[in-house]
């Protein structure tokens, strides 16, 4: 019997779900290993079984209703995988945590905002235990297929845990520091193929940090190119501004 898999989305653009749909032919290979039974974005029918072997969840948790729904998913699933930056680190949504929630509602909806339920945005791991995470904004399709295959076969997936600079150098890219740009590559988890630096942009850390980032080396690199830590933190915080001590 193939493992039953459900995909769920909370506060996000659902770009990670679209990335999965774009797997096309490769997705058919994965479907030979799993039974995809629940996915609003990709299925016209919903089986809604009481138990799931795997729950793939994208988006951050930003309402009380999200919180209760995620807990219910956690109770049903043997393995829960956080998909993408919003689910993994809180992502862009956590930028709103810098403001009061009433202020946020007023800014977005005006007087009508009072009726909406909103709380500081959090990654999934701040609400329930998460077994695995797949970082990035959006997720890397090849990495997604590899992780789902591994989980379906009972193997432990292994994500890259070395800096993005490694992938950039393999591609023989001109370092963006030499172009006067900011980059988080020296401390950020690789695995995206250095897609942003390859196309001339600095990395903004959507995949989060490696387990043991060499922060001092990064500071020295910034100083070497006349850049300041405070300025680069503005870029880092775009996807990583959530702090664990933020109130729910």
């Amino acid at each position: 019997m193939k493992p039953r898999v459900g995909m769920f989305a909370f506060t996000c653009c659902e770009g990670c779900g679209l990335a999965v749909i774009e797997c096309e032919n490769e997705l058919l290979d994965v479907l030979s290993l799993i039974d995809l039974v629940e996915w609003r974005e990709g299925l016209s029918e919903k089986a809604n079984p009481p138990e799931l072997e795997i729950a793939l969840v994208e988006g951050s948790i930003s309402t009380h209703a999200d919180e209760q729904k995620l807990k219910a998913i956690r109770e049903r699933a043997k393995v829960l995988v956080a998909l993408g930056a919003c689910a993994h680190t809180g992502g862009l949504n956590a930028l709103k945590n810098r403001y009061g929630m009433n202020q946020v509602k007023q800014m977005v909806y005006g007087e009508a905002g009072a009726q909406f339920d909103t709380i500081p945005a959090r990654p999934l791991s701040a609400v329930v235990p998460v077994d695995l995470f797949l970082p990035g904004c959006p997720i890397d399709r090849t990495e997604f297929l590899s992780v789902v295959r591994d989980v379906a076969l009972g193997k432990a997936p292994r994500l890259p845990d070395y800096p993005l600079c490694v992938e950039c150098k393999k591609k023989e890219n001109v370092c963006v520091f030499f172009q006067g740009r900011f980059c988080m590559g020296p401390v950020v988890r690789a695995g995206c193929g250095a897609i942003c630096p390859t196309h001339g942009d600095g990395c903004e850390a959507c995949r989060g940090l490696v387990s043991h980032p060499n922060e001092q080396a990064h500071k020295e690199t910034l100083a070497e190119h006349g850049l300041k830590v405070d300025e680069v933190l503005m870029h880092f915080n775009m996807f990583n501004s959530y702090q664990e001590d933020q109130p729910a």
Side-chain angles (χ1 to χ4, degrees):
M1 182 177 177
K2 295 188 291 187
R4 290 163 298 189
V5 178
M7 286 192 63
F8 306 90
F10 289 94
T11 303
C12 62
C13 68
E14 300 195 33
C16 293
L18 287 175
V20 174
I21 290 173
E22 289 174 351
C23 291
E24 298 180 348
N25 292 338
E26 293 86 353
L27 186 59
L28 294 178
D29 293 336
V30 171
L31 290 176
S32 68
L33 299 174
I34 65 173
D35 188 8
L36 191 54
V37 296
E38 191 170 345
W39 184 15
R40 179 182 54 79
E41 191 175 1
L43 295 176
S44 55
E45 297 180 356
K46 179 181 175 182
N48 195 24
E51 294 183 352
L52 297 166
E53 275 68 40
I54 306 169
L56 306 171
V57 185
E58 64 173 322
S60 57
I61 302 305
S62 65
T63 70
H64 291 100
D66 285 352
E67 198 173 58
Q68 296 308 311
K69 181 178 177 183
L70 177 63
K71 289 178 179 177
I73 293 169
R74 175 71 272 189
E75 289 180 359
R76 294 170 59 199
K78 294 180 180 175
V79 175
L80 189 145
V81 184
L83 286 187
C86 294
H88 173 214
T89 66
L92 296 171
N93 298 316
L95 291 173
K96 79 169 183 177
N97 300 357
R98 300 177 178 186
Y99 306 90
M101 293 300 102
N102 289 334
Q103 184 182 4
V104 168
K105 290 190 286 187
Q106 176 67 30
M107 291 167 63
V108 177
Y109 300 109
E111 294 182 358
Q115 65 182 303
F116 293 107
D117 171 25
T118 190
I119 57 177
R122 289 176 288 169
L124 305 189
S125 60
V127 181
V128 298
V130 170
D131 301 297
L132 298 167
F133 65 87
L134 193 54
C137 181
I139 56 171
D140 180 84
R141 284 178 288 177
T142 301
E143 195 169 54
F144 168 80
L145 293 168
S146 175
V147 167
V148 172
R149 281 194 192 99
D150 285 348
V151 174
L153 295 172
K155 299 166 58 179
R158 295 184 65 181
L159 295 177
D161 198 13
Y162 48 81
L164 186 72
C165 289
V166 175
E167 292 182 340
C168 221
K169 288 179 179 177
K170 285 183 178 177
K171 287 195 165 187
E172 299 183 347
N173 290 336
V174 175
C175 180
V176 295
F177 283 122
F178 289 108
Q179 302 170 31
R181 295 175 181 271
F182 291 98
C183 188
M184 295 299 297
V187 291
V188 164
R189 183 185 299 275
C192 62
I195 187 171
C196 292
T198 299
H199 292 280
D201 289 326
C203 169
E204 293 186 327
C206 72
R207 292 178 61 84
L209 298 178
V210 292
S211 298
H212 303 288
N214 191 336
E215 296 173 349
Q216 185 58 38
H218 195 201
K219 290 178 182 176
E220 292 172 359
T221 301
L222 293 174
E224 180 182 340
H225 294 277
L227 303 172
K228 298 178 180 177
V229 172
D230 290 346
E231 292 173 301
V232 82
L233 281 177
M234 292 175 59
H235 295 260
F236 173 74
N237 286 337
M238 181 176 294
F239 288 97
N240 298 277
S241 63
Y242 174 77
Q243 301 294 324
E244 290 187 357
D245 57 355
Q246 290 175 347

